[in-house]
Structures are given as C-alpha cells and as structure tokens.
Amino acid sequence: MNLLQLFIDRAADHLDQPCLTVPASSAVPAEQITFGQLFDRSAQLSGALVAGGAAVGDRVVAQVDKFPDAFALYLACLRAGLVYVPLNTAYTPSEVAFFLTDAGAHTLVCRPGTEDSLADAAAAVAVVHTLGAAHSGSLPRRAAEVDPFVGVTDRSDDDLACMLYTSGTTGRSKGAMLTHRNLAANGQALHQVWAFEPADVLLHILPIFHVHGLFVALHCALLNASEVIFLPGFDVPTVRRELLRSTVMMGVPTHYTRLLDDPAFGAADCANVRLFTSGSAPMTEQVFNQFTERTGHRICERYGMTETGILTSNPYDGERVAGTVGYPLPGVELKVLTEDGTPAAVGENGMVWVRGEHVGPGYWQLPEKTAEERSDDGFFRTGDVGCLDSTGRLTLAGRAGDMIISGGYNVYPKEIELVLDETPGVVESAVVGLPHPDFGEGVVAFVATDHDDTALTAALEAACSEHLARFKHPKHYFFVDALPRNAMGKVQKAQLRAEHAGHFGPS
Ligand code: MLC
Ligand code: AMP
C-alpha cells in the first residue's frame, strides 16, 4: 500500500483541522494549513513533477528549506510513486553532485538562488526546479499551470518510497533504500508505543531531511492527525514560547542542553507537555538528570538509524533509565552477538543486529555492501555496540567504527581526511571527535605537516569549504610532526582522543 494512502485514511475525519502551523518568525512567513490543504498541495506539486516527465520509480532529489511546501513535496513524491531523496541543506555543490549522479536522479528541487551554484551538479538530471517559502520558486509556478495529480499511485509494500544518504565508512555516502512497508511499520510502532492521543500537538524543531525530523516526528503526527508546530530552525526563545501549547517534542541531545543553558527554562515551560523524546546521538545521564530536576520530565530516549528507522525506546509507562535506549519496538527483533557470532551474555557488550519490517532492503546499487551488513537469516548489522540487561533493555556502548556524531549529524572521519590529505603541505591527517559541551562531539583534525600553521589552516579551511558541509568542518586543527601509530602501523585515534579530551572544556 502507498504510505500516503495510509496518511490520507488516518486524516479522513480531520481534513479541516490544522496540520502544519508555522508561527511568525524572522526565518519564514507565518502560515497554517489544514490536512486537506496539505494533501491538495501535494497533488498540485505532484502534477508539476509528473508534467516534467518524472515517472513511477524515478528519484527526485530535494535540497530545500523547511516550510509546509517542502513537506508537501515529500508527499507529492509518494503520491506519484516517485522516490524521494532529501538532502541536508548544508551540503556543498560538490556533495550534491555526487548524490545526483549516484541516485541517477530525474529531478532536482533546490532552493531559489542556488540554481547557479548547482548548475554543474544538475547537469546529471533531466529537470531542475526551485522551491522556496511562501509558494515561491519554479515548482509552485509550474504547479499552478498544470492539472494536479489527484490520485494516489498504487505501490506495493516493497516498492521504494525514499532513499536517504548515509555516509559510508569508506568516505563515500550510500543511499539507504526505504520501502512503503518499512516506513509504515515504523511509524505505526512509534505511534503506538508513544501513546499518541487525539489532542496531541507536536513541536517540530528538527530538520526534515533526515529520518528523525521527516519520518519519526512527522509520520507520528500524520498517523495521529495531529497539529504540528513547524519551526524553521531551533532557537530557545521560540521553542519556549511554542512549548506552552505543545504536548510532544522530539529532539537531539543538543536541543536539550541548549534549553538547559537558559537559566529561566523550567517546569512552567513544560506544563502542557506529556512527552519529550531524544535520539540520534547519546544523551548523557547528566543532561537527563538535569532536565528531570528542572522540569519534572524524564526524557524518553530512543535509538535508531537511517537504514532501519527507530529500533528501541525507553517505555512510555515504565521506567525511563538514563543512559539506556530501552526495549525493541513492536515488530523489531534485536540481538546482541559477540565477535564469534554467539549471543552475548547479559551485560556483555557485542554487536547489535536487528530484523523486521522496518529494516530497509539495503543500499542503492551496492549489493555487495548490502550483503556485507546482513546475515543469512536476514538480520542487519547496525555497527553499534551494546549490551542487554536481564529484562532485555539495551544500553549502547558506542560504534564499532570511528564515526563521529556531532549535534545529531553523522560525520565520517575518512571523508574529511581525504579532503585534508589532498591539501599541499599535509603529510597525513587523522580526524576524531572530542567531547563538546554543545554538540556532544566536536570534530577536530590532527595534521602531520612541516608547513607553517597559519597558512596551512587557511588552505585546509578553503578545501573544506569547497568540498564539505560546514557541520563536518574541523572546529580545530592540531598540527603535529607525525601521527601516533601502533606496532601495526595503525593511527592511534583513541590516544589522540584521550590526550585532548578536555579541548572543548567540560562536556
Ligand atoms: C550546525 N553547526 C554544526 C552543527 N549544526 N556543527 C557541528 N555539528 C552540528 N550538528 C554549525 C554550522 O555549520 C555553523 O557553523 C554553526 O554551527 C551555526 O549553524 P546553525 O545552522 O545556526 O546551527 P544550529 O541551528 O545551531 O544547529 C544546531 C542543531 C542542528 C543542533 C539545531 O545541528 C540540528 O538540527 N541537529 C539535528 C540533526 C538531526 O536531525 N539528526 C537526525 C539524523 S537521523 P559556522 O562555522 O558557520 O558558524 C538519525 C537516526 C535517528 O540519526 O536515530 O534519529
Ligand atoms: P544515522 O546514520 O544518521 O541514521 O545515525 C544512526 C546512528 O546514530 C546509530 O547507528 C547510532 O550510532 C546513533 N544513535 C541514534 N540514536 C542514538 C541514541 N539514542 N544513543 C546513541 N546513539 C544513537
């Protein structure tokens, strides 16, 4: 079944009720649309995409800001059976070029004003449209000229709905494919375990180009036909104001630490809220406890990933334990295996493997990579290390690789090292994450060189600006004569992390 049909069915009795409310702010115009208007809008945008020649199964890549039409674009793709591929707005043209080519995209929808910088990248696609706030851009203009696409294209559960790029350990991103079934199963499981209620109002503070903001948050709201307060970004005063009439907020740990950094934030702000959830990055016990002390709320931490959706959650009614990510969601089979493939004992760390309807079919056009991460009996290897307690509650210990999670965004050191190593004067580099009070982990680079530090810093920053989204840029460079290596010749990243753990101050 087409996922959009599920949303339309759930909202059938609520078409005149508010769906997305954008409060007045400096970033985008205030706007409110109902469920009926959202679905109509998706039909109009779908009409424009199809009129441009996009056919069932084609990939539509979107790099757009956050406003109601951007969400309608996602639904427009579902409606016409197109595969929606959202991109982080921070990605540079050279990053976008890779995604367009790799996805074999038919259409690119980008921000008004970025067409020129994306012109080279867009040579790979048949159609380029722009989409901005307040119905601006060529896509809405085209939509006004053509007939809306009013039907919902028949899709089987196994057909692709979306593809989200997730950085690979080899430094290149992989397209994680997600089917209509994967998304429907995960949305319904979350809607159930977080006990959504008819009067819920979701405060939406996340970007809508990742699983967390697009699927976890918005699918729950759509399945519940709930109003969403749709904030274009995260700023503490606006969040405090809008929390007053919200019942649910989903965030990454950085959102919670920033709220706690405001000494005036407290229980009065949260009087109407029934559920705060956190995920995408580990939340420290300290933040969990401080939040409880200040507000009386125990944040419900959950764990997931792009390839699989959300896997576990602390219980809604039972005990939410700081530092743990709770129990598998309904439909999620989860096991922890030691290196020799046997089940880990209670309390023993091992690799987390998962299976279920929520797990995507693999990586786009990478059958070998897909097979590498999957066991013969269909379990997916998450790359996360953790342990189960005697009740089946999961605690994560970290990642098997050296991925950094900064403010909820994944950063793969290899991708940055490749850019740094290309810079004249760099012998070699090692990128690691150090504890950071705001982002959880902050990206830093150790650069082996005999060049002048100042000139080299400028050259490294220029190289990063050309090739890498800003959130991936090292926030500090350490210049060294040589990188520490072990007897096997492997760079000792753990040593670098330990020696410089206090660089950004107490975490
Ligand atoms: C922004 N900056 C970051 C950053 N975000 N640097 C490192 N890490 C980050 N996460 C930098 C910018 O490049 C810029 O740098 C400066 O900070 C200010 O930019 P901004 O855009 O104003 O930032 P801000 O709005 O403060 O963003 C912080 C944030 C954002 C925490 C709100 O990062 C965010 O929305 N994170 C959520 C990520 C998310 O949704 N993850 C879900 C992945 S799905 P300069 O140098 O220009 O000043 C997933 C699965 C699952 O993981 O389980 O959910
Ligand atoms: P992504 O590839 O962006 O989907 O990121 C998924 C990764 O984020 C997971 O594999 C985990 O390593 C991490 N992650 C998500 N939620 C949590 C959490 N609650 N605690 C710790 N790590 C998390």
Side-chain angles (χ1 to χ4, degrees), residues 205-207 209-213 216 233-234 252 254-255 258 279-281 302-306 309-310 406-410 438-439 441 470-472 475:
I205 54 175
L206 291 152
F209 41 70
H210 280 313
V211 168
H212 197 164
V216 181
F234 182 82
V252 300
T254 300
H255 292 130
R258 288 190 182 181
S280 309
R302 83 336 172 252
Y303 152 60
M305 57 192 304
T306 303
I310 301 309
S406 171
Y409 289 145
N410 289 1
D438 186 30
F439 292 123
E441 286 185 288
R470 267 201 93 70
F471 67 87
K472 300 177 189 170
K475 296 196 185 293

Side-chain angles (χ1 to χ4, degrees), residues 102-114:
D102 187 74
H106 177 278
T107 303
L108 166 67
V109 183
C110 60
R111 290 166 288 178
T114 63

Side-chain angles (χ1 to χ4, degrees), residues 78-146:
L78 293 179
R79 189 180 275 285
L82 306 170
V83 178
Y84 184 64
V85 188
L87 295 185
N88 194 322
T89 46
Y91 289 148
T92 61
S94 73
E95 290 169 306
V96 175
F98 169 78
F99 298 124
L100 292 176
T101 309
D102 187 74
H106 177 278
T107 303
L108 166 67
V109 183
C110 60
R111 290 166 288 178
T114 63
E115 313 90 295
D116 287 350
S117 60
L118 289 172
D120 287 348
V125 300
V127 177
V128 179
H129 271 304
T130 58
L131 181 64
H135 313 300
S136 61
S138 67
L139 190 69
R141 279 200 296 281
R142 189 73 184 122
E145 294 162 3
V146 300

